Amino acid sequence: MKLMIASDIHGSAFYCSQMLEAYKREGADRLLILGDILYHGPRNDLPEGYTPKEVIGMLNAIKKEVLCVRGNCDTEVDQMVLEFPILSDYSLLYLDGQTIYATHGHVWNPKNLPMLKDGDILLNGHTHVPACTEIIQKENEKQEKIMYMNPGSVSIPKENSAHSYMIYENGIFEWKNMEGEVYQTWKNDMRC
């Protein structure tokens, strides 16, 4: 399975359109959105092309291809207009022998880890900053390694990062800018 992973659209039809162009170009089987779809949030400036009603139409057009978790800016009223489930706080994916805990990041994050075991991946957005980091946790006097990954933001990147997304295929994660240029790669036998 080829999976495109994106986060933090924040109502930008301009960047949602670019994301969907990248999705088509990539030929991914599914689009996993890590929350914050329609509303820009009180801490963010309005993103370019802020027109949530257009984003609704664009995403509903591919509703059978979208997997989604709830962001801190997503509400029940958003679910009323989006035709795919958005209100789950997390999703567990098991791909190519790898357990991936996908969530937005405002609750479960590197400072507040969910119940993960050695070798699992924590995947979230929320910070608007791409990340690929090993987290070492002690569990019963044993050290366990968790991978933390973040695709960054589609519409409001922070810390001088690119407007970006990730691709997962055959155990390999790639971070890409909206033009599809790879700027980071990770697979299970390598460091970030």
Side-chain angles (χ1 to χ4, degrees), residues 50 93 111 123 174 182 189:
Y50 181 70
L93 306 170
K111 293 181 180 178
L123 176 64
E174 294 180 323
V182 177
D189 60 348

Side-chain angles (χ1 to χ4, degrees), residues 20 23-24 31 57-66 84:
L20 293 177
Y23 177 66
K24 288 178 190 171
L31 172 62
M58 286 187 246
L59 294 177
N60 281 345
I62 62 163
K63 63 187 174 189
K64 292 183 179 180
E65 299 170 49
V66 176
F84 52 90

